[in-house]
């Protein structure tokens, strides 16, 4: 797996201009394999996130400073010098590369009719390196779905590994069930045309379309057992899931939250939890790159009103009690 | 006589090639606009389409562009050299300008820029047609006549 991670790093740094590319190899081989993101700010030295710490990239021991032209060149390479092709992604603040790396960008944007028409000057670029963790979900699925798949929400703070787990769970589940992936940002399958950057098994992938539109089309056309989708962030996503739940297909989705009880604090997630769709919640605790996986399994016969949340190992969300279960992942 | 005729015919052909060249670029940019607006194709694929579907000067130009594009670095500084010598300076500048902003904007803005460029190229095309009608045949005829005159004088 280390060699796969090194290859992922190599493919990510290929988007860097020569000067920064050389600096990217100031990390040792082990660090390169463990690197999760490279952050480049104009006028500042580029930094790599390794084991939860940012390390400055240098060349021959000397500090390298990124210039605005370097950042423009990164975006030019990532967009194949075709802003029009990627304007939808740029509008959302990122570009997903052919290898599935997500390049987030900030800067001075020109907006027309509410959409970004071009980025005049880029001030920061963050390359999040997508790594193939094939096999990560095998043990998790075995432990969690002994009696069959139940709707599952994967939760973690940003950069926790939700997409990686979602991707591998989809692959694992597609071995025995029909799984359709809604890949709005091209991150899950990393697919462009017929090429897929990641092993997603026998999943059917709908890329580039909004979640709402894709879910309805997939239900009509692909009759999936499971629909997998990344990052529920908008009210319309929640409304679509609530509207299409209980029609014969289950959901495997991800959501941003820094702790499990935050789900009940953010209005759109509260609505999702209270709609009684998700029976399992997987929480990923990312402690400096060392990830712990916990499952919260809904106990439908638990009476919250009578018993309250009297268990140290579970949590009450909405009107339901979720029993905590530690999961062993194959890391 | 033969050489004078050849010079005259060559001058006439220059007018014809210039007119056909501008026409081929107008057609190419119309096609590029459609590929960008309706298919959102990245530039490499757009140029590939243009190379396969266009003819004449535009076809050769986009073939060279595709060969240059193998190098990820910018190739805009070489654009003038790729256009050959039949086009006049304003026409070359127009093509170079639109090529240098290709891929920098979303499809709506890109289409607007291409439209403006096509309008200007159409004006150049009209001028080129007029010059072809006026000077093209004249150049050939003048060349042949000079040749005959020189031949008669030498005799």
């Amino acid at each position: 797996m280390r060699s796969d991670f090194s290859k992922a790093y190599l493919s990510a740094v290929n988007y860097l201009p020569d000067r920064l590319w050389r600096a990217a190899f100031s990390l040792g081989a082990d660090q390169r394999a463990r690197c999760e993101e490279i952050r480049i700010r104009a006028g500042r030295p580029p930094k790599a996130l390794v084991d939860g710490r940012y390390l400055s990239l240098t060349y021959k021991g000397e500090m390298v400073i990124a210039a605005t032209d370097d950042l423009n060149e990164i975006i030019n390479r990532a967009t194949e010098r075709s802003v029009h092709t990627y304007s939808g992604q740029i509008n959302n603040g990122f570009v997903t590369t052919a290898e599935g790396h997500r390049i987030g960008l900030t800067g001075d944007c020109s907006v027309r009719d509410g959409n970004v028409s071009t980025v005049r000057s880029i001030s920061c670029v963050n390359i999040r390196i997508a790594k193939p963790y094939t096999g990560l979900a095998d043990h998790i699925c075995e432990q969690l779905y002994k009696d069959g798949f139940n709707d599952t929400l994967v939760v973690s703070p940003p950069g926790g590994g939700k997409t990686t787990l979602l991707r591998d769970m989809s692959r694992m589940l597609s071995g025995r069930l029909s799984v359709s992936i809604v890949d709005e940002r091209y991150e899950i399958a990393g697919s462009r045309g017929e090429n897929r950057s990641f092993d997603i098994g026998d999943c059917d992938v709908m890329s580039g379309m909004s979640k709402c539109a894709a879910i309805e089309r997939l239900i009509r056309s692909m009759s999936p057992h499971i629909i997998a989708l990344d990052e529920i962030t908008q009210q319309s996503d929640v409304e679509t899931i609530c509207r299409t739940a209980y029609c014969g297909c289950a959901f495997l989705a991800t959501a941003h939250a820094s702790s499990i009880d935050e789900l009940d604090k953010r209005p759109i997630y509260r609505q999702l939890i209270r709609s009684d769709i998700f029976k399992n919640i997987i929480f990923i605790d990312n402690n400096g790159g060392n990830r712990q996986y916990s499952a919260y399994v809904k106990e439908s016969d638990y009476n919250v009103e009578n018993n309250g949340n009297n268990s140290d190992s579970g949590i009450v969300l909405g009107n339901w009690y979720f029993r905590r279960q530690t999961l062993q992942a194959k890391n | 006589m033969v050489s004078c005729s050849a010079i005259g015919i060559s001058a006439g052909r220059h007018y014809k090639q210039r007119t056909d060249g501008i026409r081929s670029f107008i057609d190419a940019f119309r096609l590029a606009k459609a590929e960008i607006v309706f298919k959102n194709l990245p530039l490499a694929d757009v140029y590939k389409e243009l190379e396969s579907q266009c003819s004449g000067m535009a076809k050769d130009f986009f073939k060279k562009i595709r060969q240059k594009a193998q190098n990820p670095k910018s190739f805009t500084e070489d654009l003038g050299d790729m256009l050959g010598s039949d086009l006049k300076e304003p026409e070359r500048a127009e093509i170079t300008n639109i090529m240098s902003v290709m891929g920098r904007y979303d499809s709506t803005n890109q289409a607007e820029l291409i439209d403006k460029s096509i309008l200007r190229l159409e004006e150049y095309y009209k001028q080129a047609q007029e010059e072809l009608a006026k000077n093209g045949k004249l150049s050939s005829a003048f060349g042949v006549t000079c040749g005959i005159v020189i031949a008669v004088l030498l005799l």
Side-chain angles (χ1 to χ4, degrees):
Chain A
M1 195 170 275
R2 195 189 121 174
S3 69
D4 289 339
F5 293 174
S6 297
K7 278 182 200 165
Y9 183 84
L10 193 63
S11 67
V13 300
N14 271 339
Y15 289 92
L16 303 179
D18 294 351
R19 215 163 50 86
L20 302 183
W21 183 85
R22 285 190 214 103
F25 288 89
S26 62
L27 295 182
D30 279 347
Q31 288 175 318
R32 293 202 293 268
R34 296 200 305 277
C35 179
E36 293 184 29
E37 67 178 45
I38 299 169
R39 200 171 283 252
I40 303 151
R41 297 183 178 93
R44 307 283 304 163
K47 293 186 173 178
L49 180 66
V50 182
D51 301 335
R53 289 191 309 129
Y54 282 103
L55 308 175
S56 290
L57 300 177
T58 56
Y59 182 58
K60 292 184 177 173
E62 297 212 353
M63 192 78 84
V64 176
I65 302 294
T68 308
D69 283 351
D70 293 325
L71 274 63
N72 289 335
E73 181 59 20
I74 294 168
I75 297 303
N76 276 338
R77 290 183 184 191
T79 59
E80 304 171 78
R81 299 180 194 281
S82 310
V83 165
H84 57 271
T85 308
Y86 294 87
S87 56
Q89 293 186 29
I90 292 171
N91 208 24
N92 287 319
F94 66 88
V95 175
T96 309
T97 70
E99 300 84 6
H101 309 304
R102 190 203 280 189
I103 303 185
L105 57 101
T106 60
D108 180 17
C109 300
S110 169
V111 177
R112 182 171 165 167
D113 300 331
N115 292 317
V116 176
S117 60
T118 191
V119 182
R120 277 193 291 259
S121 67
I122 300 161
S123 56
C124 179
V125 160
N126 183 29
I127 305 176
R128 283 178 59 182
I129 302 168
K131 295 174 185 172
Y133 279 90
T134 306
L136 170 72
D138 291 1
H139 287 13
I140 290 175
C141 290
E142 278 170 21
Q143 293 163 77
L144 206 51
Y145 307 127
K146 285 173 187 160
D147 301 322
F149 181 82
N150 280 319
D151 298 71
T152 301
L153 187 64
V154 180
V155 176
S156 88
K162 293 180 293 295
T163 307
T164 307
L165 182 60
L166 178 86
R167 181 188 303 128
D168 205 50
M169 286 177 79
S170 303
R171 177 199 61 80
M172 170 73 182
L173 293 164
S174 72
R176 53 197 167 90
L177 296 166
S178 163
V179 181
S180 292
I181 293 176
V182 178
D183 197 5
E184 186 179 4
R185 299 175 180 180
Y186 302 89
E187 278 190 296
I188 306 173
S191 58
R192 285 195 186 171
E194 60 190 23
N195 302 317
R196 287 174 177 173
S197 304
F198 302 106
D199 180 5
I200 51 160
D202 292 327
C203 294
D204 306 314
V205 184
M206 185 78 96
S207 302
M209 190 182 276
S210 77
K211 294 184 192 78
C212 308
I215 288 170
E216 292 185 354
R217 278 167 177 77
L218 285 169
I219 289 174
R220 279 202 297 267
S221 61
M222 303 305 289
S223 48
H225 295 119
I226 301 168
I227 293 180
L229 62 152
D230 203 11
E231 293 188 8
I232 299 170
T233 51
Q234 294 180 6
Q235 184 66 32
S236 56
D237 301 339
V238 174
E239 282 167 7
T240 307
I241 290 173
C242 292
R243 194 170 62 246
T244 51
Y246 303 112
C247 64
C249 76
F251 286 99
L252 170 61
T254 72
H256 282 299
S258 56
S259 66
I260 198 79
D261 54 342
E262 268 193 13
L263 287 176
D264 217 19
K265 292 176 183 162
R266 197 169 162 190
I268 65 162
Y269 293 156
R270 192 187 306 142
Q271 184 188 346
L272 200 62
I273 295 297
R274 291 179 186 216
S275 63
D276 192 23
I277 295 167
F278 290 99
K279 310 291 187 291
N280 300 313
I281 301 171
I282 298 175
F283 182 72
I284 308 171
D285 186 12
N286 181 12
N287 187 9
N290 181 24
R291 290 174 173 82
Q292 305 288 329
Y293 299 86
S294 310
Y296 290 83
V297 182
K298 185 182 281 182
E299 293 208 340
S300 48
D301 52 356
Y302 189 90
N303 191 326
V304 175
E305 284 184 6
N306 292 341
N307 299 323
N309 182 6
N310 59 2
S311 167
D312 291 339
S313 61
I315 190 165
V316 173
L317 292 172
N319 296 320
W320 289 278
Y321 177 73
F322 289 80
R323 179 175 43 81
R324 186 174 183 276
Q325 177 187 344
T326 304
L327 297 172
Q328 297 299 320
K330 184 180 156 190
N331 260 319
Chain B
M1 183 185 130
V2 173
S3 58
C4 282
S5 302
I7 290 167
I9 289 166
S10 163
R13 192 179 291 158
H14 163 75
Y15 286 107
K16 177 87 170 71
Q17 280 175 341
R18 178 181 158 224
T19 313
D20 291 348
I22 298 172
R23 181 76 252 168
S24 73
F25 276 105
I26 292 171
D27 293 341
F29 288 131
R30 283 204 178 118
L31 183 59
K33 181 187 156 190
E35 298 290 345
I36 286 170
V37 172
F38 298 114
K39 289 193 193 165
N40 263 338
L41 285 182
L43 284 186
D45 294 342
V46 172
Y47 294 155
K48 193 174 172 186
E49 284 292 312
L50 296 183
E51 187 196 333
S52 67
Q53 295 196 35
C54 292
S55 58
M57 199 185 286
K59 185 185 180 78
D60 294 342
F61 177 75
F62 286 107
K63 188 177 181 180
K64 287 175 193 164
I65 288 275
R66 288 222 315 127
Q67 286 163 353
K68 282 273 181 187
Q70 307 297 326
N71 179 354
K73 286 182 182 162
S74 173
F75 50 82
T76 48
E77 61 266 28
D78 301 329
L79 284 173
D81 298 336
M82 293 186 216
L83 281 168
S85 57
D86 285 317
L87 298 180
K88 282 189 173 176
E89 197 46 48
E91 294 142 18
R92 297 162 67 87
E94 187 57 51
I95 293 165
T96 309
N97 285 345
I98 188 64
M99 287 302 294
S100 62
V101 295
M102 280 287 216
R104 289 201 187 170
Y105 301 92
D106 67 346
S107 50
T108 312
N109 285 285
Q110 194 72 69
E112 277 180 19
L113 288 170
I114 293 173
D115 279 341
K116 283 177 188 166
S117 204
I118 287 172
L119 276 177
R120 284 190 286 268
L121 284 174
E122 278 176 342
E123 282 173 25
Y124 295 137
Y125 178 63
K126 272 185 199 163
Q127 288 171 15
Q129 273 186 316
E130 284 166 12
E131 285 179 31
L132 173 66
K134 197 169 133 190
N135 302 332
K137 284 179 185 171
L138 189 70
S139 302
S140 305
F142 186 69
V144 175
T145 310
C146 282
I148 292 167
V149 169
I150 291 168
V152 169
L153 287 175
L154 288 174
L155 287 172

